[in-house]
Amino acid sequence: MDHNKYMTIGEFARRMGVTKNTLFHYDNIGLFLPEIVDTNDYRYYSIYQMEVFDTIIILKEMGMPLNEIKEFMDHRSPESLMELFEKEDKKITEQIKRLKYQQQFIRGRKEKMKGIWSIDFEHVFRKQFPNRYYIYEEIRDETDAGILKKTNEFITEFERRNYQMDYEIGYIQNENDILSGVYDNYTNAVILPFKKPKGMDYQILKAGEYLTGYHKGHWNTIGAAYERLLEYARCRQIKIDHIFLETYAVNNLMAESIEDYVTEIGVRIIS
């Protein structure tokens, strides 16, 4: 036997980076057979089988079950291989998109969390924001549970239309309510996608400098944060816009209790 052309099962296993048991199993199910089996039941594999075995390993690493690999290998042709690669290429592209979305989600949350616990929540800040898209949904209900239910339905519809698009949830407070001392009249929800949304009407929060305050705890005690923000504007004769936006700097992703939530309040400075 030409030992430059043939390898024992142990040699072939070492060369291909698998165990002998793997080769025995593939032989038993008819997926990959040795080229020669002698009278002593010794198995020998040809060097020309290495490329075929590489193909099996690649298909296995792509997640294809062994029975499907066997079906393909038993009827392989240039056309079937091209069809298979086209299918797997699309699958890999989707996986890459999903991983990129997950990475974007993680990086966005990391950026938002940076320094949040070192902020003095009693202070008012001036922060620059770019143009931001937002989708507005009227939500009127008497109970917290009702508001949350309708908000979740709104989010579900957005996610259905804008698969894997990252976003924030917020609420816009009515200017007349705020100036009248009513700080918890939640009648809407807004989604702030990080990119232009599809299939839903959107508006734009203008870029610029925003007065920004923070509130830690339940939203029904948010009034003190609004009063600090309004007092800051009055004392410095700062003219502010009529849209007050609330978003969560800390939500249920980071805190178990609603008392540990942190709400960011922003209103654009006009002059």
Side-chain angles (χ1 to χ4, degrees):
M1 182 180 295
D2 186 351
H3 291 287
N4 291 321
K5 181 178 177 183
Y6 291 99
M7 291 169 276
T8 65
I9 188 170
E11 291 169 336
F12 191 83
R14 285 193 297 274
R15 184 77 67 90
M16 304 310 296
V18 297
T19 66
K20 289 197 293 183
N21 285 339
T22 296
L23 292 174
F24 281 128
H25 178 58
Y26 287 2
D27 187 359
N28 288 336
I29 66 175
L31 173 59
F32 185 75
L33 283 61
E35 191 165 304
I36 297 173
V37 179
D38 69 11
T39 54
N40 294 320
D41 207 30
Y42 289 142
R43 291 163 166 78
Y44 294 94
Y45 294 86
S46 163
I47 59 173
Y48 304 112
Q49 290 182 279
M50 293 173 65
E51 188 172 359
V52 174
F53 193 81
D54 275 335
T55 302
I56 292 172
I57 295 301
I58 290 170
L59 296 178
K60 187 171 181 291
E61 288 177 348
M62 290 192 304
M64 185 180 292
L66 292 180
N67 63 323
E68 292 184 17
I69 295 175
K70 183 178 183 308
E71 177 68 21
F72 168 77
M73 297 300 291
D74 288 346
H75 303 92
R76 63 187 183 272
S77 67
E79 292 79 15
S80 63
L81 183 61
M82 179 61 73
E83 182 180 339
L84 175 66
F85 282 169
E86 288 286 350
K87 177 183 171 183
E88 293 302 321
D89 188 36
K90 289 179 182 178
K91 191 185 298 183
I92 291 169
T93 299
E94 284 301 313
Q95 290 172 346
I96 291 171
K97 283 172 62 178
R98 185 162 59 252
L99 288 171
K100 283 184 176 179
Y101 167 72
Q102 291 169 355
Q103 184 182 58
Q104 180 189 40
F105 177 86
I106 290 168
R107 287 179 175 176
R109 295 309 178 272
K110 281 172 59 181
E111 193 63 32
K112 197 168 183 65
M113 290 170 64
K114 278 181 184 176
I116 189 65
W117 298 116
S118 62
I119 290 176
D120 183 349
F121 298 140
E122 299 298 312
H123 278 65
V124 174
F125 303 87
R126 299 170 74 128
K127 291 177 63 175
Q128 289 286 341
F129 286 94
N131 280 334
R132 288 175 286 174
Y133 303 107
Y134 74 94
I135 304 164
Y136 182 95
E137 179 78 359
E138 196 78 19
I139 296 178
R140 295 185 181 275
D141 204 286
E142 297 294 325
T143 65
D144 289 352
I147 292 171
L148 289 172
K149 179 177 180 294
K150 292 179 180 178
T151 301
N152 285 335
E153 291 171 353
F154 176 40
I155 294 169
T156 299
E157 179 63 16
F158 169 80
E159 290 179 341
R160 186 184 71 81
R161 293 172 181 251
N162 294 273
Y163 179 60
Q164 292 189 350
M165 184 182 291
D166 203 1
Y167 60 90
E168 290 184 295
I169 297 297
Y171 300 92
I172 288 177
Q173 291 280 28
N174 183 287
E175 178 185 26
N176 292 331
D177 284 342
I178 297 302
L179 297 180
S180 301
V182 179
Y183 305 114
D184 60 352
N185 186 20
Y186 293 95
T187 59
N188 65 80
V190 296
I191 292 175
L192 295 102
F194 292 180
K195 295 187 294 185
K196 185 184 294 186
K198 301 174 184 176
M200 301 179 81
D201 292 334
Y202 64 88
Q203 301 177 63
I204 294 178
L205 283 171
K206 293 181 180 179
E209 190 174 28
Y210 281 68
L211 281 190
T212 307
Y214 294 89
H215 166 68
K216 183 178 180 182
H218 196 286
W219 53 78
N220 60 15
T221 60
I222 202 169
Y226 273 103
E227 289 167 7
R228 285 193 298 272
L229 191 149
L230 293 173
E231 181 64 18
Y232 185 98
R234 277 194 295 266
C235 289
R236 291 160 179 79
Q237 297 184 326
I238 296 172
K239 187 177 180 182
I240 55 178
D241 202 353
H242 65 282
I243 293 178
F244 292 81
L245 175 67
E246 296 180 15
T247 57
Y248 285 123
V250 174
N251 59 10
N252 59 357
L253 186 63
M254 297 168 255
E256 291 184 12
S257 169
I258 200 168
E259 298 304 326
D260 293 320
Y261 284 21
V262 176
T263 304
E264 181 181 274
I265 306 166
V267 58
R268 190 169 65 90
I269 297 172
I270 296 176
S271 63

